[in-house]
Amino acid sequence: MSRPVPNPGILDIAPYTPGKSPVAEPGRKVFKLSANETPFGPSPKAIEAFKNVAAHLEDYPEGTSRVLREAIGRSFGLDPNRIICGAGSDEILNLLAHTYLSQGDEAISTTHGFLVYPIATMAVGAKNVVAQETNLTCDVDAILKAVTPKTKLVWLANPNNPTGTYVPFDEVKRLRAGLPSHVLLVLDAAYSDYVSRNDYEMGIELVATTENTVVTHTFSKIHGLAALRIGWMFGPEHVIDAVNRIRGPFNVSTPAMYAAVAAIEDTAHQAMSKQFTETWRNWLTEEIGKLGLKVTPGVANFVLIHFPEKGKTSDETDAYLTRRGLVLRALKNYGLPHSLRMTIGTEEANRLVVDALRDFMAGK
């Protein structure tokens, strides 16, 4: 009996595996620290804006997300006509792959890059080429060495998930200068709002001054709108025009759009979240390090914790923490089988994780 057959290569794609969600048990408080969700939730102004739209859910959204593009433009000093919005930045990444990659092309990502990159690449029949990292950080020279005549696109998360590391802006500019002009450089700045380093820039300057660079961003992290699936991209006019030709006409819902406008305008909520995250990221790195565990220095809203291959392994630690209601992210699918990623949570959650790790390492 015959049946529909997927396109070549589709069944070779490993499906995206999200961080596990906790299973509530009677009498046990559970903290989900596996999905890089903000512990503060969205701005109250965003919640109010979302509710205000509820009386008009029968109306189609405005098809170009104009009010949101204008709000992003005001916030970052950008031309709204060079901005496109999507159902999360994931949709935009996939749209870029469909626009610029085809059968036989190659796209480069790094060893521990975001798993959506190879999925988007392979879904259109292109080959995902992996450039090796150095100390869990993007290596510009390794990327440039991986370029071939078939290379059409380079994916770069900066900061990177799940390592939390980043590439200084001078290195990003060196990467752009070293790539052929026909290669599109995609800078994924999902976690840029948490960075306070003087040598970091999310990529807007490069986009503004080149014809072959785009930067994507999301409202799922510091803005706390992950459930609404909304993101955006700033790019050259010719890229925006091309992607808009295959973008769904109503890909951003009206509630998501207005909630995002309110969120990006609430700078006080963002500043509070950023300061809290920085304080507790430093605290967690120091306290976990005191337990004899290595933590990769990061700049995002999570920490990457490494465990020995024998003895107190990441699998055993993960199981122990889960029993105590603390759910972290295992990273086997990211090629980090001996590590756990911990989202920075509330003060209570952060302290409980350190206490639990201390007990586990002590054999309690």
Side-chain angles (χ1 to χ4, degrees), residues 16-271:
Y16 184 85
T17 305
K20 63 183 178 182
S21 295
V23 178
E25 295 181 6
R28 187 183 78 172
K29 191 172 183 179
V30 176
F31 296 90
K32 181 186 176 187
L33 305 171
S34 59
N36 294 343
E37 298 156 342
T38 172
F40 300 109
S43 159
K45 296 177 181 178
I47 296 174
E48 181 181 3
F50 179 88
K51 291 179 178 179
N52 287 341
V53 181
H56 300 283
L57 298 184
E58 73 280 9
D59 297 334
Y60 279 103
E62 190 278 314
T64 71
S65 303
R66 177 184 55 80
V67 296
L68 178 55
R69 290 187 294 106
E70 291 176 350
I72 295 168
R74 290 192 298 271
S75 179
F76 288 90
L78 306 177
D79 179 358
N81 293 320
R82 293 180 60 178
I83 296 171
I84 188 171
C85 298
S89 55
D90 292 0
E91 183 197 23
I92 296 173
L93 299 176
N94 278 280
L95 287 172
L96 286 169
H98 279 275
T99 304
Y100 290 100
L101 296 173
S102 60
Q103 190 78 33
D105 291 337
E106 295 178 354
I108 299 173
S109 59
T110 63
T111 311
H112 306 296
F114 188 32
L115 290 177
V116 167
Y117 305 151
I119 292 174
T121 297
M122 297 171 69
V124 297
K127 179 182 178 181
N128 177 57
V129 176
V130 178
Q132 296 301 309
E133 297 172 356
T134 300
N135 297 324
L136 300 181
T137 305
C138 162
D139 185 324
V140 168
D141 291 319
I143 292 178
L144 294 176
K145 187 176 180 180
V147 173
T148 75
K150 296 180 179 180
T151 305
K152 296 294 179 61
L153 188 149
V154 171
W155 307 104
L156 178 61
N158 198 29
N160 186 57
N161 170 34
T163 62
T165 56
Y166 78 102
V167 183
F169 188 47
D170 283 349
E171 281 292 278
V172 177
K173 289 191 289 187
R174 186 168 75 85
L175 172 61
R176 177 65 274 172
L179 290 171
S181 59
H182 70 274
V183 173
L184 181 67
L185 175 60
V186 180
L187 301 174
D188 181 351
Y191 295 91
S192 60
D193 298 302
Y194 296 105
V195 186
S196 299
R197 303 296 178 89
N198 292 333
D199 59 352
Y200 175 83
E201 205 273 332
M202 66 184 290
I204 285 175
E205 178 187 322
L206 264 183
V207 178
T209 57
T210 66
E211 290 292 305
N212 42 23
T213 312
V214 298
V215 61
T216 65
H217 205 4
T218 180
F219 284 89
S220 296
K221 306 307 175 187
I222 203 167
H223 298 295
L225 298 179
L228 296 185
R229 309 310 306 129
I230 185 162
W232 57 276
M233 176 177 73
F234 175 57
E237 290 182 5
H238 66 94
V239 174
I240 299 300
D241 174 63
V243 175
N244 264 326
R245 291 169 186 266
I246 63 170
R247 175 184 61 83
F250 306 112
N251 62 328
V252 176
S253 73
T254 303
M257 181 167 55
Y258 281 96
V261 170
I264 203 170
E265 292 177 347
D266 192 347
T267 55
H269 187 79
Q270 297 168 51

Side-chain angles (χ1 to χ4, degrees), residues 303-337:
V303 293
L304 180 64
I305 312 168
H306 304 279
F307 297 85
E309 296 183 21
K310 296 181 180 180
K312 306 291 185 179
T313 66
S314 60
D315 285 344
E316 293 174 352
T317 307
D318 192 25
Y320 180 86
L321 293 174
T322 300
R323 288 195 296 271
R324 291 180 59 154
L326 303 164
V327 181
L328 276 59
R329 176 71 181 267
L331 298 169
K332 289 182 175 64
N333 56 344
Y334 273 101
L336 294 166

